[in-house]
Amino acid sequence: MRTTAKVVAPLVLVSALLLSGCGAPTIDFSTIVTPSRAPELDAYDMFVGKWSWDAKLLNVEGEDANWSGTAQWEWTLNKRCLAGRMAAKSANAEFESEGIWSWHPKAKKYTWWMFNNWGYPQQGTAKYDEEAKLWRMPFKSVGLDGSYSYGVYTLQVMDPNTIEWTLTEWADMLHMFKKMEMTGTYTRR
């Protein structure tokens, strides 16, 4: 008898749902209002424009220790996303990246994504200390060596035309095995 009840009960439930019309409700777009732009997005204004940058890779010897490149950031999607392009090169390697930075309205945090022309993604969150003008941007990615990476960028806004930055990347999420460490400067063009 219990076996019959175990089989019949789900069938009755499914039948009741089907007969009751479990279709999606009708949506009335005239009642949906575009939300206000988050004021937190204004903190990204400092990045808008064209930049040149130079950096030093600290854990490599020789000519590949020195990197340089350009970056450009501009507002898109009604100033709700900051879209950027970056080019980077050393003596023996180069890549291009594109990305989006924004504010997650429900999670109440800065989010960002970057993808490069090697096919490797980076994604993370960010925290901004307005008083110190300091960004801290932890991320997960596929590093240039093709393996998973866990890292953090810091960006220190020195003045409207200068940003000092660091990058540290680890092979593990506990940050025990460092893969690379880099330091550099963005200068507005």
Side-chain angles (χ1 to χ4, degrees):
M1 188 63 101
R2 284 187 170 184
T3 304
T4 305
K6 286 182 180 178
V7 172
V8 172
L11 289 174
V12 169
L13 179 62
V14 169
S15 297
L17 289 173
L18 289 174
L19 292 174
S20 67
C22 56
T26 302
I27 298 172
D28 180 0
F29 277 95
S30 68
T31 64
I32 297 175
V33 178
T34 303
S36 299
R37 182 178 178 273
E40 289 84 357
L41 288 164
D42 291 340
Y44 285 140
D45 278 338
M46 67 185 70
F47 298 109
V48 173
K50 295 180 179 182
W51 301 83
S52 295
W53 62 271
D54 291 294
K56 186 154 190 88
L57 185 56
L58 303 178
N59 59 324
V60 71
E61 294 182 12
E63 57 192 4
D64 282 316
N66 297 309
W67 284 76
S68 63
T70 58
Q72 181 172 340
W73 292 94
E74 58 190 30
W75 285 112
T76 186
L77 301 175
N78 294 328
K79 286 188 77 175
R80 292 172 191 260
C81 293
L82 192 64
R85 302 187 87 167
M86 186 178 83
K89 68 179 179 176
S90 71
N92 294 300
E94 63 182 80
F95 65 92
E96 294 180 4
S97 298
E98 292 193 14
I100 296 284
W101 295 4
S102 193
W103 173 257
H104 193 299
K106 296 295 184 183
K108 304 291 185 206
K109 62 183 174 182
Y110 293 100
T111 58
W112 60 277
W113 305 268
M114 295 287 290
F115 299 89
N116 68 32
N117 64 338
W118 293 18
Y120 297 153
Q122 249 182 8
Q123 66 179 22
T125 58
K127 291 189 178 180
Y128 178 55
D129 179 338
E130 187 173 2
E131 187 175 319
K133 298 206 180 305
L134 179 69
W135 289 88
R136 187 173 189 287
M137 303 171 70
F139 64 87
K140 295 179 197 173
S141 73
V142 175
L144 292 180
D145 65 357
S147 67
Y148 284 106
S149 296
Y150 303 86
V152 64
Y153 289 102
T154 61
L155 298 145
Q156 176 70 60
V157 178
M158 307 306 287
D159 60 53
N161 299 311
T162 312
I163 299 172
E164 301 284 335
W165 60 274
T166 64
L167 161 64
T168 308
E169 222 173 90
W170 295 269
D172 64 305
M173 57 190 341
L174 297 176
H175 298 180
M176 294 175 61
F177 303 102
K178 192 179 290 186
K179 289 174 70 173
M180 66 180 283
E181 192 169 13
M182 195 173 214
T183 183
T185 303
Y186 282 96
T187 305
R188 192 178 297 276
R189 292 190 276 155

